[in-house]
Amino acid sequence: MEESRRERKKRLTRQRIMAAAMRLFAEQGYEQTTVAQIAVAADVDPKTFFNYFRAKDEVVFADTEHIFGMLLGALAAPRPQESPGELLVRAVQEYAARRRPEVPRKEPEALSAGVRLMMTTPALQAKGLYLLLELQRRMAGELLKAFPGRLDPITAAAMTGSLIGAVQQASLASVELGRSQDELWAAARHGLDIAAHGLLSVRADAAADDEPAQSAEGNESS
């Protein structure tokens, strides 16, 4: 559907606030930057800022719920005969195909600045870790719903952790090496490919094989 003038204005205002905030964070530090300063730099009223973001940390993690929705939505629609690993891999592939056109182009310096901000600011480190763990938890929950009674919680958690960890760490390494945005997406795909080798080996009845063995070990030690 064609974007209305009102929607376009809101989108551009949101982008202007985000750009102003990230510029100020880079120039003077996250903790030293106030919402009032961001509003002035974006040429909006402070009340307008809060129409778009509840706090300044939401600017850094602005698209979190949108990202979560795309990934979880794909997991909620498994295909017939699809294995847990195949479902996870497809969900990430579909997310990448939909997300990539939405992301504004950034030079390597801007990508590096964003990573440095999150890695050197304790409040953002904590928020980022929480969101990463929350994403993995929710993905594992959707995976269990897709294979009721055929996949145990520990296996589901290990699968989502290995997948998200591989993609995230490969992407981070690309940024730290100063590579381009296209190379960042290629690194994420490479991380997905590496994780997929292990994921695709998991059967949907893994719970039936693994949990009794764990119980037996516990009985032997008691």
Side-chain angles (χ1 to χ4, degrees), residues 117-131:
L117 177 68
M118 286 190 283
M119 297 296 287
T120 59
T121 307
L124 297 180
Q125 281 183 323
K127 180 72 175 282
L129 178 60
Y130 166 78
L131 290 174

PDB file of all heavy atoms in Angstrom, residues 117-131:
ATOM      1  N   LEU A 117      29.402   2.085  20.715  1.00  0.00           N
ATOM      2  CA  LEU A 117      28.480   2.674  21.679  1.00  0.00           C
ATOM      3  C   LEU A 117      27.876   1.606  22.578  1.00  0.00           C
ATOM      4  O   LEU A 117      27.850   1.752  23.815  1.00  0.00           O
ATOM      5  CB  LEU A 117      27.376   3.432  20.938  1.00  0.00           C
ATOM      6  CG  LEU A 117      26.270   4.048  21.796  1.00  0.00           C
ATOM      7  CD1 LEU A 117      26.815   5.177  22.639  1.00  0.00           C
ATOM      8  CD2 LEU A 117      25.125   4.539  20.910  1.00  0.00           C
ATOM      9  N   MET A 118      27.383   0.525  21.974  1.00  0.00           N
ATOM     10  CA  MET A 118      26.744  -0.528  22.756  1.00  0.00           C
ATOM     11  C   MET A 118      27.739  -1.331  23.591  1.00  0.00           C
ATOM     12  O   MET A 118      27.413  -1.773  24.691  1.00  0.00           O
ATOM     13  CB  MET A 118      25.949  -1.456  21.836  1.00  0.00           C
ATOM     14  CG  MET A 118      24.662  -0.820  21.322  1.00  0.00           C
ATOM     15  SD  MET A 118      23.585  -1.985  20.469  1.00  0.00           S
ATOM     16  CE  MET A 118      24.414  -2.111  18.897  1.00  0.00           C
ATOM     17  N   MET A 119      28.960  -1.488  23.088  1.00  0.00           N
ATOM     18  CA  MET A 119      29.946  -2.299  23.799  1.00  0.00           C
ATOM     19  C   MET A 119      30.632  -1.548  24.935  1.00  0.00           C
ATOM     20  O   MET A 119      31.220  -2.164  25.826  1.00  0.00           O
ATOM     21  CB  MET A 119      31.005  -2.807  22.815  1.00  0.00           C
ATOM     22  CG  MET A 119      30.461  -3.728  21.742  1.00  0.00           C
ATOM     23  SD  MET A 119      29.793  -5.281  22.405  1.00  0.00           S
ATOM     24  CE  MET A 119      31.308  -6.136  22.844  1.00  0.00           C
ATOM     25  N   THR A 120      30.579  -0.223  24.917  1.00  0.00           N
ATOM     26  CA  THR A 120      31.292   0.564  25.923  1.00  0.00           C
ATOM     27  C   THR A 120      30.358   1.279  26.896  1.00  0.00           C
ATOM     28  O   THR A 120      30.828   1.985  27.791  1.00  0.00           O
ATOM     29  CB  THR A 120      32.200   1.621  25.242  1.00  0.00           C
ATOM     30  OG1 THR A 120      31.395   2.483  24.423  1.00  0.00           O
ATOM     31  CG2 THR A 120      33.256   0.945  24.379  1.00  0.00           C
ATOM     32  N   THR A 121      29.046   1.128  26.722  1.00  0.00           N
ATOM     33  CA  THR A 121      28.080   1.773  27.615  1.00  0.00           C
ATOM     34  C   THR A 121      27.390   0.706  28.457  1.00  0.00           C
ATOM     35  O   THR A 121      26.607  -0.091  27.923  1.00  0.00           O
ATOM     36  CB  THR A 121      27.023   2.556  26.804  1.00  0.00           C
ATOM     37  OG1 THR A 121      27.679   3.447  25.889  1.00  0.00           O
ATOM     38  CG2 THR A 121      26.111   3.346  27.725  1.00  0.00           C
ATOM     39  N   PRO A 122      27.654   0.645  29.765  1.00  0.00           N
ATOM     40  CA  PRO A 122      27.093  -0.425  30.600  1.00  0.00           C
ATOM     41  C   PRO A 122      25.573  -0.578  30.487  1.00  0.00           C
ATOM     42  O   PRO A 122      25.068  -1.698  30.406  1.00  0.00           O
ATOM     43  CB  PRO A 122      27.520  -0.019  32.011  1.00  0.00           C
ATOM     44  CG  PRO A 122      28.789   0.740  31.811  1.00  0.00           C
ATOM     45  CD  PRO A 122      28.584   1.496  30.532  1.00  0.00           C
ATOM     46  N   ALA A 123      24.848   0.544  30.470  1.00  0.00           N
ATOM     47  CA  ALA A 123      23.381   0.454  30.396  1.00  0.00           C
ATOM     48  C   ALA A 123      22.928  -0.186  29.097  1.00  0.00           C
ATOM     49  O   ALA A 123      21.976  -0.988  29.082  1.00  0.00           O
ATOM     50  CB  ALA A 123      22.765   1.853  30.534  1.00  0.00           C
ATOM     51  N   LEU A 124      23.622   0.130  28.003  1.00  0.00           N
ATOM     52  CA  LEU A 124      23.256  -0.445  26.708  1.00  0.00           C
ATOM     53  C   LEU A 124      23.723  -1.891  26.599  1.00  0.00           C
ATOM     54  O   LEU A 124      23.054  -2.713  25.965  1.00  0.00           O
ATOM     55  CB  LEU A 124      23.843   0.395  25.573  1.00  0.00           C
ATOM     56  CG  LEU A 124      23.339   1.835  25.495  1.00  0.00           C
ATOM     57  CD1 LEU A 124      24.005   2.564  24.327  1.00  0.00           C
ATOM     58  CD2 LEU A 124      21.817   1.879  25.350  1.00  0.00           C
ATOM     59  N   GLN A 125      24.861  -2.200  27.202  1.00  0.00           N
ATOM     60  CA  GLN A 125      25.313  -3.593  27.234  1.00  0.00           C
ATOM     61  C   GLN A 125      24.278  -4.467  27.919  1.00  0.00           C
ATOM     62  O   GLN A 125      23.917  -5.545  27.428  1.00  0.00           O
ATOM     63  CB  GLN A 125      26.641  -3.700  27.983  1.00  0.00           C
ATOM     64  CG  GLN A 125      27.863  -3.302  27.199  1.00  0.00           C
ATOM     65  CD  GLN A 125      29.132  -3.523  28.004  1.00  0.00           C
ATOM     66  OE1 GLN A 125      29.174  -3.322  29.216  1.00  0.00           O
ATOM     67  NE2 GLN A 125      30.181  -3.953  27.336  1.00  0.00           N
ATOM     68  N   ALA A 126      23.796  -4.006  29.073  1.00  0.00           N
ATOM     69  CA  ALA A 126      22.810  -4.771  29.836  1.00  0.00           C
ATOM     70  C   ALA A 126      21.514  -4.924  29.059  1.00  0.00           C
ATOM     71  O   ALA A 126      20.927  -6.011  29.007  1.00  0.00           O
ATOM     72  CB  ALA A 126      22.552  -4.091  31.179  1.00  0.00           C
ATOM     73  N   LYS A 127      21.048  -3.837  28.436  1.00  0.00           N
ATOM     74  CA  LYS A 127      19.800  -3.888  27.665  1.00  0.00           C
ATOM     75  C   LYS A 127      19.957  -4.816  26.458  1.00  0.00           C
ATOM     76  O   LYS A 127      19.066  -5.613  26.152  1.00  0.00           O
ATOM     77  CB  LYS A 127      19.431  -2.481  27.202  1.00  0.00           C
ATOM     78  CG  LYS A 127      18.139  -2.369  26.379  1.00  0.00           C
ATOM     79  CD  LYS A 127      16.915  -2.567  27.239  1.00  0.00           C
ATOM     80  CE  LYS A 127      15.622  -2.328  26.454  1.00  0.00           C
ATOM     81  NZ  LYS A 127      15.313  -0.904  26.260  1.00  0.00           N
ATOM     82  N   GLY A 128      21.094  -4.718  25.771  1.00  0.00           N
ATOM     83  CA  GLY A 128      21.326  -5.567  24.611  1.00  0.00           C
ATOM     84  C   GLY A 128      21.361  -7.035  24.971  1.00  0.00           C
ATOM     85  O   GLY A 128      20.804  -7.882  24.262  1.00  0.00           O
ATOM     86  N   LEU A 129      22.030  -7.362  26.096  1.00  0.00           N
ATOM     87  CA  LEU A 129      22.096  -8.759  26.529  1.00  0.00           C
ATOM     88  C   LEU A 129      20.716  -9.276  26.899  1.00  0.00           C
ATOM     89  O   LEU A 129      20.338 -10.398  26.538  1.00  0.00           O
ATOM     90  CB  LEU A 129      23.047  -8.882  27.722  1.00  0.00           C
ATOM     91  CG  LEU A 129      23.200 -10.280  28.325  1.00  0.00           C
ATOM     92  CD1 LEU A 129      23.718 -11.263  27.290  1.00  0.00           C
ATOM     93  CD2 LEU A 129      24.116 -10.250  29.541  1.00  0.00           C
ATOM     94  N   TYR A 130      19.955  -8.452  27.608  1.00  0.00           N
ATOM     95  CA  TYR A 130      18.600  -8.852  27.987  1.00  0.00           C
ATOM     96  C   TYR A 130      17.757  -9.144  26.746  1.00  0.00           C
ATOM     97  O   TYR A 130      17.057 -10.166  26.679  1.00  0.00           O
ATOM     98  CB  TYR A 130      17.932  -7.760  28.821  1.00  0.00           C
ATOM     99  CG  TYR A 130      16.441  -7.954  28.957  1.00  0.00           C
ATOM    100  CD1 TYR A 130      15.915  -8.888  29.847  1.00  0.00           C
ATOM    101  CD2 TYR A 130      15.550  -7.225  28.160  1.00  0.00           C
ATOM    102  CE1 TYR A 130      14.549  -9.087  29.950  1.00  0.00           C
ATOM    103  CE2 TYR A 130      14.186  -7.427  28.257  1.00  0.00           C
ATOM    104  CZ  TYR A 130      13.692  -8.354  29.154  1.00  0.00           C
ATOM    105  OH  TYR A 130      12.327  -8.554  29.243  1.00  0.00           O
ATOM    106  N   LEU A 131      17.811  -8.244  25.758  1.00  0.00           N
ATOM    107  CA  LEU A 131      16.998  -8.429  24.552  1.00  0.00           C
ATOM    108  C   LEU A 131      17.437  -9.663  23.769  1.00  0.00           C
ATOM    109  O   LEU A 131      16.606 -10.383  23.205  1.00  0.00           O
ATOM    110  CB  LEU A 131      17.093  -7.180  23.675  1.00  0.00           C
ATOM    111  CG  LEU A 131      16.407  -5.928  24.222  1.00  0.00           C
ATOM    112  CD1 LEU A 131      16.705  -4.721  23.344  1.00  0.00           C
ATOM    113  CD2 LEU A 131      14.898  -6.139  24.347  1.00  0.00           C
TER     114      LEU A 131
END
